[in-house]
Amino acid sequence: MIVNRRMGSDQPNEHDELEQHLTQKLNVPLDWPEGGNLTASHVAVIAAAATCDTAYNQAANGHLIDLFAALPLPGTADGRSFWKRIRDAGGIAAMNIDPANMGGPFFDRIHNGNESGIASRILSFLGELAPSQRTAVAEVIGSALDRRTIGVGGSYGGELWLRDAEMSAWRVALASRREFETAQDRERFFEAWRRA
């Protein structure tokens, strides 16, 4: 379910889509439990805030894992051949994502909360590729995608994989900068735009 969630409303009695979902689909009154310190309306605000904070880094990292899961597995015959072809096509840039260079439990660390590790490697990999190398890498990736389950393959499928990985990695990197942002930084941002 995708909902538009506003933090606050100009109309005090106007419910946003998440609050409407709680009341209509889950049959939960927004002031439930009456007199409680934490109501369903509060839960909606908390859920929206948590989604804003984690959607870009955790969900995008999960998506990056899914993208790599669509490729041949390291340590298998297909995987050894595939990763050799990636190294041949991508040159030194491919070392950023080469399984032997990333270390064994790299994806375990991402799964357990290392938020920007794979993102920075993917952005370095793609940023260092020459246009001809990117085309060659897209060919290699596209040739390895399972057309039956994904629906595309070849250079087009490979280019889609690269674009998706690039945008997902960018979202993780962009969200990671917020770790260093304070409430004063955020207020300074709004104030500067109000005065612009």
Side-chain angles (χ1 to χ4, degrees):
M1 175 189 71
I2 297 173
V3 296
N4 292 324
R5 178 72 185 167
R6 296 182 311 274
M7 298 303 282
S9 172
D10 294 338
Q11 307 298 321
N13 293 327
E14 181 182 323
H15 303 305
D16 65 23
E17 288 183 40
L18 183 55
E19 290 171 329
Q20 290 173 25
H21 175 76
L22 288 172
T23 59
Q24 294 169 1
K25 301 290 185 188
L26 302 178
N27 197 27
V28 177
L30 290 177
D31 62 351
W32 178 83
E34 288 185 29
N37 291 332
L38 184 64
T39 66
S41 185
H42 293 129
V43 170
V45 171
I46 293 166
T51 299
C52 290
D53 284 344
T54 63
Y56 288 127
N57 49 15
Q58 290 177 359
N61 263 328
H63 188 66
L64 288 171
I65 291 171
D66 288 343
L67 285 168
F68 275 85
L71 302 176
L73 296 174
T76 65
D78 287 344
R80 282 188 289 278
S81 170
F82 170 79
W83 288 104
K84 181 187 181 316
R85 289 183 299 145
I86 288 290
R87 287 188 302 273
D88 291 344
I92 194 76
M95 294 310 291
N96 287 295
I97 63 165
D98 185 80
N101 196 40
M102 289 193 343
F106 194 81
F107 282 100
D108 288 331
R109 289 193 300 271
I110 293 166
H111 183 68
N112 293 326
N114 177 359
E115 296 299 339
S116 60
I118 190 70
S120 62
R121 284 181 172 271
I122 288 171
L123 291 173
S124 294
F125 166 58
L126 293 169
E128 293 171 18
L129 289 177
S132 61
Q133 289 176 311
R134 185 176 175 121
T135 300
V137 167
E139 287 281 345
V140 172
I141 290 173
S143 71
L145 295 176
D146 185 350
R147 190 180 278 271
R148 291 170 296 151
T149 58
I150 297 178
V152 295
S155 61
Y156 178 64
E159 185 56 40
L160 288 176
W161 190 99
L162 290 174
R163 279 190 256 158
D164 197 353
E166 191 167 43
M167 289 312 302
S168 296
W170 168 244
R171 287 182 183 99
V172 172
L174 186 61
S176 295
R177 72 171 279 284
R178 291 180 55 205
E179 294 174 18
F180 306 103
E181 187 178 63
T182 65
Q184 293 83 7
D185 294 331
R186 182 58 70 167
E187 184 51 39
R188 192 176 314 117
F189 165 82
F190 285 118
E191 187 59 31
W193 279 96
R194 282 184 209 114
R195 294 176 186 216

